[in-house]
Amino acid sequence: MKRWLWGLLAALLCLGPVQAGRAQLAPAVTPPPEVASYTIAIRYDPETHQLAGEQTIRYTNRTDTPFPDLVFHLYLNAFRSEQTLWMREAGPGHRGFTFNPEHNGWARIESLALSDGTALTVAAVDADETLVRAELPRPIAPGETVTLQLIFSAQLPEVFARTGWADDGDFVMAGQWFPKLGVWEGADGWNAHPFRANNEFYADFGIYEVAITLPEGWITGASGVSLGEPERNDYGMETHHYRAEHVIDFAWTASPRYRELVRDVDGVTVRVLHYPGMRGTARRILRATEGGLRLYSEWYGPYGMGLYPHLTVVAIPPDAGGAGGMEYPTLFTVGAMGTGNLLPACVKLLEIETVHELGHQWFQSVVATNEAEEPWLDEGFTDYITTRAMEALHDGAMFDCGGWSFSYLENHRFSYAFQPDVVGARAAWEYNDLMEYAVATYSKPALALITLERIVGEEAMLDFMRAYYTRYAFAHPSTQDVWDVMAETLGQEMADGFFETWIFGSGTLDWRIAELGETEALVRRDGDACFPVTVQVERAGVAPEMRALDCDASEFVLDGSDAPLTLVQIDPDMQLLMDMNLANNGQQRTPDWAAWAGLAVRMTLFLQDLFLGGGATW
């Protein structure tokens, strides 16, 4: 074992609970008990892009069932070659970015022992060694803590699937970089799955004390808080110390080229790291982060339930886009949709990505659902609150250029239309492709939650969301837990309809006007799914009326008067966003001059921007 690793570990273990320079916030919840805590010393070589590390792990059995063995994730082994299960499923690309097999990644445990020196043998669980297992000499009883000493090495890939290096090694985004234990679930055993293309992550809460050794002058960002200035070592190296409490993971980034913007947002120190020439991008990211922090804290509960005083946002450099768009506790990255100062202000992709990844600080970093087995719980809830935040911050616009606009909500409806019959409550690896996975876990549940909000009202929906976030902060809720909270807050009938129809169901719904006669209309419901709807009926010389249509039939005749129909509008308040075709929801007998006037205005603005330079939108 290298002497510098032992020294770093000894220094870390002596730090204890004292945290230098840490802002003190009043917690909104009792801190959760430790389950999996890690003390890690790591050294990065920018020439080889390799990590050499040492870990001390403390894992407490908080179930009523002893565990006889240990199961570790070695996520980087998914990137050993183009032949791994992860790479075969990915294609071998990931969200528009390509894997470079000449600069692959891997991880291995060099040695593993108990604190008394008893050596443990590690064996592969899957063919790619993204999971490994070690038998214990005796089971660890309920309430008992096992302490492990581990030496590991890892090769970071050229940036791909949210982790790795770029810029000739001068940029590092280290995600899922260390051997990490699965989640012991008592009688159900270790919850840990081989790493697959759609799978994300699941881990226990604990405390991380991490020392990162790099060349002098490098700027770092990481989960948790910095414990002061870096410590200078021999051979032109420095060690940066971080501590993260009550978290499920630890990620870090580093570069000698980083610049930063820092702002206090209601007691939370927000730090945006960016490359030179990206200050405009960083400012946009900072503004979106500030706006999102305030909205989410007001709507659902405090950031980190008051236990997280710091937030780091990484604006990924342009040639490292594969590291963008990922969440970690108290740190997230932006750049999967592109960075750089050429993105016009009227295109809100930076803002969407920012408030989405920020939303994961609530729904998966604190409410820590199982992203592999139930991905809709983190992505669906996060995209629901993202859509709400974009509405509050930017009137919902995904882009709003030259008089033409397209909202993030409309983007979800567009995506949903591709595969509306997909089931939301499935494991990540059960989806056939990325499109099916995206519809099922992002767009469909987000639209269903927005539909639910429009039906029950904003305040009732906020009551449900706050109850869910508060009750399951620093816990691992399941779909059934969400169902139960919804039933308590919104009623059993509403909860059952929501989950059976949109989360576990595959049916589709299209309310439409089939016929419009002189004095009567035929409304038809197509598809196997149903939610009741209201219809606005207007007749010449008669006060408008509202008709309620239930799910007992698929056809309804709107009659009862000899007065001529002038308008029939299904769902006039646009509550049912799961309706497949909104264009067939209304018919009227007189021209809609306002719509034509609006089209003329948009065309005029577009032509002005096209021929006069469009300076206002850039």
Side-chain angles (χ1 to χ4, degrees):
M1 183 183 301
K2 296 181 175 62
R3 184 175 300 173
W4 67 269
L5 285 173
W6 277 123
L8 289 176
L9 271 179
L12 279 169
L13 289 169
C14 291
L15 288 172
V18 178
Q19 299 151 43
R22 172 171 177 163
Q24 297 298 313
L25 300 180
V29 66
T30 301
E34 290 182 57
V35 179
S37 292
Y38 296 76
T39 300
I40 309 175
I42 194 75
R43 184 185 184 103
Y44 171 67
D45 185 337
E47 299 297 325
T48 63
H49 321 300
Q50 290 190 4
L51 303 173
E54 172 82 19
Q55 290 182 196
T56 296
I57 306 173
R58 301 180 303 278
Y59 194 91
T60 301
N61 184 358
R62 299 200 179 275
T63 75
D64 58 4
T65 304
F67 58 81
D69 57 7
L70 304 165
V71 175
F72 293 89
H73 294 278
L74 295 177
Y75 289 109
L76 290 177
N77 283 335
F79 312 126
R80 290 195 301 191
S81 75
E82 295 175 295
Q83 305 309 313
T84 66
L85 175 62
W86 197 104
M87 297 302 301
R88 294 198 308 273
E89 290 183 340
H94 186 261
R95 303 191 179 189
F97 300 98
T98 303
F99 173 68
N100 184 351
E102 295 184 2
H103 295 292
N104 64 344
W106 50 260
R108 61 175 174 256
I109 296 175
E110 306 289 357
S111 68
L112 175 64
L114 299 177
S115 56
D116 64 3
T118 301
L120 303 179
T121 300
V122 174
V125 173
D126 62 321
D128 301 322
E129 295 185 62
T130 62
L131 286 181
V132 296
R133 178 179 175 273
E135 189 79 22
L136 290 166
R138 65 170 182 82
I140 303 302
E144 187 179 359
T145 298
V146 61
T147 301
L148 309 167
Q149 304 288 347
L150 185 153
I151 299 174
F152 73 97
S153 56
Q155 173 73 59
L156 294 178
E158 187 173 7
V159 160
F160 182 70
R162 302 152 174 159
T163 192
W165 58 270
D167 193 19
D168 295 326
D170 277 357
F171 167 81
V172 179
M173 183 63 238
Q176 310 306 330
W177 52 281
F178 62 95
K180 184 165 63 172
L181 284 166
V183 175
W184 177 250
E185 294 187 336
D188 293 330
W190 286 99
N191 192 303
H193 299 283
F195 197 20
R196 304 179 69 162
N198 287 334
N199 289 25
E200 290 192 345
F201 312 105
Y202 181 48
D204 282 305
F205 288 93
I207 295 174
Y208 286 75
E209 294 174 324
V210 181
I212 306 164
T213 298
L214 299 156
E216 285 186 12
W218 282 49
I219 307 299
T220 60
S223 298
V225 294
S226 171
L227 300 181
E229 293 298 315
E231 173 189 353
R232 290 191 175 184
N233 304 323
D234 296 333
Y235 311 111
M237 306 293 281
E238 292 179 328
T239 300
H240 304 251
H241 296 271
Y242 285 89
R243 181 182 174 96
E245 299 181 354
H246 323 306
V247 297
I248 54 174
D249 198 1
F250 188 96
W252 59 273
T253 184
S255 175
R257 302 184 62 194
Y258 270 148
R259 308 291 185 267
E260 65 179 4
L261 295 176
V262 180
R263 181 175 298 172
D264 181 274
V265 181
D266 300 332
V268 177
T269 301
V270 178
R271 182 176 180 234
V272 179
L273 295 175
H274 64 91
Y275 259 36
M278 293 176 58
R279 190 171 180 84
T281 293
R283 285 174 173 168
R284 288 177 62 176
I285 291 171
L286 181 57
R287 283 195 299 270
T289 303
E290 180 177 8
L293 264 175
R294 288 184 169 141
L295 287 174
Y296 296 154
S297 295
E298 176 187 351
W299 288 341
Y300 311 121
Y303 164 70
M305 292 301 285
L307 298 177
Y308 297 164
H310 194 276
L311 175 63
T312 298
V313 188
V314 184
I316 298 299
D319 67 344
M326 186 57 191
E327 72 279 0
Y328 307 93
T330 77
L331 181 149
F332 64 89
T333 68
V334 178
M337 298 183 183
T339 54
N341 295 325
L342 295 179
L343 199 63
C346 66
V347 178
K348 307 297 182 184
L349 297 182
L350 275 175
E351 287 75 12
I352 289 170
E353 189 176 351
T354 299
V355 296
H356 176 91
E357 302 308 336
L358 172 64
H360 278 302
Q361 298 299 315
W362 278 256
F363 298 104
Q364 210 264 333
S365 287
V366 171
V367 179
T369 53
N370 188 325
E371 293 181 296
E373 294 182 359
E374 299 184 289
W376 85 272
L377 284 175
D378 74 293
E379 297 297 355
F381 273 83
T382 296
D383 244 9
Y384 160 64
I385 69 174
T386 300
T387 306
R388 295 192 83 238
M390 288 302 295
E391 185 66 36
L393 296 172
H394 300 288
D395 295 325
M398 189 170 182
F399 72 82
D400 186 8
C401 306
W404 297 91
S405 64
F406 185 70
S407 72
Y408 196 46
L409 177 60
E410 290 168 328
N411 181 68
H412 279 312
R413 279 189 51 81
F414 180 76
S415 173
Y416 173 62
F418 278 95
Q419 290 181 293
D421 58 349
V422 68
V423 175
R426 295 169 65 185
W429 58 84
E430 294 178 343
Y431 296 105
N432 294 320
D433 51 48
L434 183 58
M435 174 57 75
E436 187 179 55
Y437 170 80
V439 173
T441 63
Y442 291 77
S443 294
K444 185 174 182 178
L447 286 174
L449 288 164
I450 297 167
T451 294
L452 181 65
E453 177 184 311
R454 292 188 177 188
I455 292 171
V456 303
E458 182 181 19
E459 284 307 313
M461 192 68 174
L462 286 173
D463 287 344
F464 155 63
M465 294 290 290
R466 290 179 189 126
Y468 173 48
Y469 178 66
T470 303
R471 182 175 305 179
Y472 288 105
F474 305 109
H476 299 306
S478 66
T479 294
Q480 186 60 55
D481 294 321
V482 184
W483 195 331
D484 293 342
V485 176
M486 187 180 291
E488 291 175 24
T489 54
L490 301 180
Q492 190 71 54
E493 184 177 358
M494 184 63 70
D496 291 351
F498 174 85
F499 278 91
E500 291 168 1
T501 305
W502 304 124
I503 304 305
F504 289 97
S506 61
T508 60
L509 170 65
D510 183 20
W511 285 102
R512 65 187 178 90
I513 299 172
E515 297 179 17
L516 183 64
E518 182 69 23
T519 61
E520 66 180 31
L522 177 64
V523 174
R524 181 171 292 145
R525 174 176 57 83
D526 294 332
D528 298 327
C530 183
F531 253 64
V533 72
T534 58
V535 180
Q536 179 181 345
V537 180
E538 296 184 9
R539 298 175 182 271
V542 179
E545 64 172 319
M546 302 297 291
R547 298 276 188 96
L549 306 185
D550 57 30
C551 297
D552 294 337
S554 59
E555 290 189 351
F556 300 84
V557 176
L558 306 180
D559 56 9
S561 173
D562 293 333
L565 286 167
T566 59
L567 171 71
V568 177
Q569 179 65 54
I570 300 171
D571 190 22
D573 296 328
M574 287 191 63
Q575 293 180 336
L576 299 183
L577 295 174
M578 312 302 288
D579 192 317
M580 290 300 301
N581 184 1
L582 299 181
N584 62 16
N585 281 17
Q587 288 190 34
Q588 66 182 50
R589 293 192 179 281
T590 58
D592 188 352
W593 298 113
W596 286 105
L599 177 61
V601 169
R602 287 195 297 272
M603 283 297 298
T604 301
L605 289 171
F606 175 76
L607 290 172
Q608 286 176 339
D609 283 344
L610 182 63
F611 293 109
L612 299 180
T617 64
W618 289 78

